[in-house]
């Protein structure tokens, strides 16, 4: 809406103001609202300047050395604040060799900017992020997942600092040297680090999520630079996330989640499945924001190390058993939930939310000792196996809105030829 007229409610924040103060400010707005509706001059269509034309795909925007290019990209807010690899036309064409898709093909329009995401733009942002050309099929699949209507792309500018988490499955993990082991979400492996960074550069350059414009994170967190995790499929006692979501084991996929913070890696102890399950159920509800289930929180992503997953599976538990256990036992009392909700809003009408289908009927209880679930069903727990295979640690994340989206990584017909002599250095 390029000609919208705006009237701003006075700061700092309505949630920190009393009723009398809110009324005073609200009454003062009426005159401004009338002025904006009747007068020319407050951001009206007739006075707004037209936006400048964006450069074309092959247009050279700057020539210079590495420092000059990076300064230019930084000044135009095309980076995440870190130096980038210059996306030259020659480099883009090298990336395009690893896909059968046309460089002008539109993958979709990215919210909130409505900008079109083309295969060419995907290559440009992949180069900037430090990806290798062979990552191109993975990058395209990620863009397809983010633009899916089920994915909450429009909500990634929230003050909660939500960000994509990409989980990789299938043979592509070994082919492209993704890390599914020690420090799987940490530094050190080019595939994970650069592919994760690529997701953020897409949000910056196509969605145009820019701090202070429509990226309004109150603090932000390091995960917003991008997160990419590979599942340790060979060490897992269960089917992979991709198989669970309907794909064959030989198919490589990406699954895009939206996350809002990471509970630090926590320890569970014991040599029985029940000890570790009780440890998970005790830690998770108090560390990944149980309370906002009343509004939008749905999925809980639980990443188990192969060691923990193995002990739980040895006790006769399937992945579905783990989900049902957590749904039943990873709970807080009604009093604790009400206290948590109080941090966000003054009063929550659980009866109304229940009628709308947004919370379970259990939330309408008046008994403060009743135990309330974290999710609407067991299947909203997502179980993934990854991380250090020798440590009894797990992590948990939440998806505050929307749904996870899985896309197949579609390889070009010449993939075997292209990767036969693929020179990807491996850690010594």
């Amino acid at each position: 809406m390029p000609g919208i007229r705006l009237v701003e409610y006075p700061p700092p924040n309505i949630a920190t103001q009393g009723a009398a103060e809110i009324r005073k400010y609200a009454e003062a707005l009426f005159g401004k609202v009338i002025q904006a509706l009747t007068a020319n001059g407050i951001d009206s269509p007739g006075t707004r300047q037209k936006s400048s034309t964006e450069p074309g795909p092959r247009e050279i925007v700057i020539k210079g050395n590495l420092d000059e290019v990076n300064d230019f990209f930084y000044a135009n807010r095309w980076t995440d604040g870190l130096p980038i690899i210059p996306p030259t036309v020659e480099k883009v064409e090298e990336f395009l060799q690893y896909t059968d898709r046309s460089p002008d093909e539109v993958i979709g329009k990215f919210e909130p900017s409505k900008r079109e995401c083309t295969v060419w733009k995907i290559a440009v942002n992949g180069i900037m992020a430090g990806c290798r050309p062979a990552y191109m099929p993975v990058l395209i699949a990620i863009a397809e997942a983010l633009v899916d209507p089920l994915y909450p792309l429009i909500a990634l500018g929230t003050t909660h600092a939500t960000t994509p988490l990409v989980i990789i499955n299938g043979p592509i993990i070994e082919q492209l040297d993704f890390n599914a082991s020690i420090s799987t979400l940490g530094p050190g492996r080019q595939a994970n680090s650069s592919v994760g960074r690529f997701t953020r550069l897409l949000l910056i350059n196509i969605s145009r999520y820019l701090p202070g414009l429509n990226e309004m994170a109150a603090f932000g967190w390091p995960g917003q630079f991008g997160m990419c995790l590979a599942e340790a499929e060979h060490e897992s006692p269960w089917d992979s996330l991709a198989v669970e979501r309907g794909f064959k084991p030989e198919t490589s996929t990406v699954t895009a989640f939206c996350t809002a913070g990471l509970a630090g890696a926590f320890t569970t102890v014991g040599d029985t499945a029940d000890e570790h399950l009780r440890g998970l159920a005790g830690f998770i509800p108090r560390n990944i924001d149980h309370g906002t289930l009343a509004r939008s929180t749905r999925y809980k992503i639980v990443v188990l190390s192969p060691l923990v997953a193995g002990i739980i599976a040895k006790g006769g538990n399937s992945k579905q058993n783990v989900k049902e256990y957590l749904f039943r036992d990873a709970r807080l009392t009604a009093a604790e939930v009400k206290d948590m909700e109080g941090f966000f809003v003054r009063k929550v009408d659980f009866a109304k939310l229940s009628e709308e289908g947004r919370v379970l009927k259990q939330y309408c209880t008046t008994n403060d000792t009743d135990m309330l679930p974290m999710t609407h069903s067991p299947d909203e727990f997502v179980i993934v196996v990854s991380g250090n295979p020798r440590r009894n640690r797990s992590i948990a994340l939440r998806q505050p809105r929307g749904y996870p989206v899985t896309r197949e990584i579609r390889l070009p017909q010449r993939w075997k030829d292209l990767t036969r002599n693929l020179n990807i250095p491996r850690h010594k």
Side-chain angles (χ1 to χ4, degrees):
M1 300 178 69
I4 191 171
R5 296 174 171 124
L6 302 176
V7 174
E8 184 179 3
Y9 182 87
N13 188 307
I14 194 170
T16 63
Q17 297 169 346
E21 192 175 14
I22 291 172
R23 177 176 290 276
K24 180 185 73 173
Y25 283 131
E27 289 175 348
L29 287 180
F30 283 115
K32 294 181 180 179
V33 171
I34 292 171
Q35 182 183 7
L37 290 173
T38 59
N40 292 323
I42 301 184
D43 204 17
S44 65
T47 59
R48 171 170 286 222
Q49 295 181 349
K50 294 182 179 179
S51 59
S52 59
T53 303
E54 294 184 358
R58 293 179 178 273
E59 184 177 339
I60 306 301
V61 296
I62 183 176
K63 292 183 178 181
N65 61 34
L66 184 62
D67 288 339
E68 291 168 336
V69 170
N70 268 285
D71 287 347
F72 181 81
F73 274 59
Y74 180 80
N76 281 279
R77 305 188 78 176
W78 296 340
T79 78
D80 53 9
L82 296 174
I84 54 91
I85 303 298
T88 63
V89 171
E90 294 76 18
K91 195 69 176 174
V92 172
E93 290 174 343
E94 185 181 354
F95 269 59
L96 294 175
Q97 292 178 16
Y98 286 82
T99 178
D100 293 331
R101 317 280 282 269
S102 166
D104 298 322
E105 179 183 345
V106 176
I107 301 300
K109 289 187 177 181
F110 269 48
E111 299 287 359
S113 70
K114 308 293 186 183
R115 280 179 166 87
E116 291 181 343
C117 175
T118 64
V119 172
W120 181 280
K121 292 179 182 178
I122 289 170
V124 166
N125 284 277
I127 294 164
M128 292 170 61
C131 296
R132 290 178 176 271
Y135 301 172
M136 190 63 181
V138 179
L139 306 185
I140 293 174
I142 290 171
E144 290 176 327
L146 295 182
V147 82
D148 189 288
L150 292 177
Y151 189 83
L153 185 62
I154 189 65
L156 292 187
T158 173
T159 54
H160 278 223
T162 52
T163 194
L165 163 67
V166 173
I167 296 181
I168 309 292
N169 281 109
I172 206 79
I173 293 174
E174 292 186 9
Q175 287 178 329
L176 299 184
D177 195 35
F178 280 93
N179 180 17
S181 186
I182 298 171
S183 193
T184 181
L185 282 176
R189 197 72 66 91
Q190 183 178 4
N192 300 61
S193 298
S194 63
V195 168
R197 188 187 185 193
F198 162 79
T199 65
R200 176 51 54 180
L201 290 178
L202 278 188
L203 301 186
I204 290 171
N205 291 319
I206 303 183
S207 287
R208 292 306 277 168
Y209 273 120
L210 303 176
L213 178 63
N214 48 28
E215 165 53 72
M216 305 304 291
F219 297 99
W221 60 295
Q224 283 191 283
F225 280 92
M227 296 194 296
C228 176
L229 175 150
E231 185 159 17
E233 297 177 348
H234 298 308
E235 287 76 35
S236 175
W238 303 306
D239 285 338
S240 71
L241 175 65
V243 171
E244 186 182 3
R245 294 178 67 83
F247 293 86
K248 296 180 180 179
E250 62 270 21
T251 300
S252 295
T253 66
V254 300
T255 302
F257 292 87
C258 159
T259 62
L262 171 68
F266 59 95
T267 302
T268 52
V269 297
D271 60 352
T272 66
D274 189 61
E275 289 173 296
H276 286 274
L277 288 170
R278 281 191 282 112
L280 294 172
F283 180 90
I284 291 171
R286 289 170 175 79
N287 289 275
I288 57 170
D289 197 359
H290 179 292
T292 51
L293 172 65
R295 290 187 300 285
S296 57
T297 298
R298 296 181 65 87
Y299 291 88
K300 313 295 182 185
I301 305 121
V302 181
V303 184
L304 307 176
S305 73
L307 177 60
V308 172
I311 294 172
I312 292 174
K314 190 176 180 181
N317 294 289
S318 66
K319 191 182 287 189
Q320 187 62 31
N321 292 149
V322 177
K323 295 179 180 183
E324 291 171 358
Y325 185 103
L326 294 176
F327 180 71
R328 186 185 70 242
D329 285 21
R331 300 190 174 198
L332 294 178
T333 66
E336 289 174 306
V337 171
K338 290 176 184 177
D339 285 343
M340 282 190 170
E341 288 292 351
F343 285 116
F344 299 99
V345 289
R346 291 186 171 88
K347 184 179 180 181
V348 176
D349 188 341
F350 286 113
K352 184 174 184 297
L353 291 172
S354 178
E355 290 176 4
E356 296 172 352
R358 296 170 64 188
V359 297
L360 299 172
K361 289 184 179 179
Q362 293 100 303
Y363 274 70
C364 300
T365 182
T366 57
N367 184 353
D368 283 352
T369 62
D370 283 350
M371 303 299 292
L372 301 182
M374 296 188 67
T375 64
H376 301 85
S377 77
D379 289 333
E380 289 177 3
F381 282 99
V382 177
I383 310 298
V384 179
V385 178
S386 191
N388 191 331
R390 295 180 292 277
R391 292 297 300 167
N392 51 326
R393 288 186 176 273
S394 306
I395 57 173
L397 310 93
R398 66 186 178 90
Q399 173 146 337
R401 49 184 57 82
Y403 299 85
V405 175
T406 302
R407 284 289 178 272
E408 179 181 348
I409 299 171
R410 291 189 282 169
L411 303 175
Q413 292 184 357
R414 296 178 55 245
W415 180 252
K416 288 185 178 179
D417 292 335
L418 289 168
T419 57
R420 183 171 288 113
N421 297 313
L422 197 62
N423 185 23
I424 295 181
R426 309 277 171 159
H427 283 176
K428 296 180 179 179

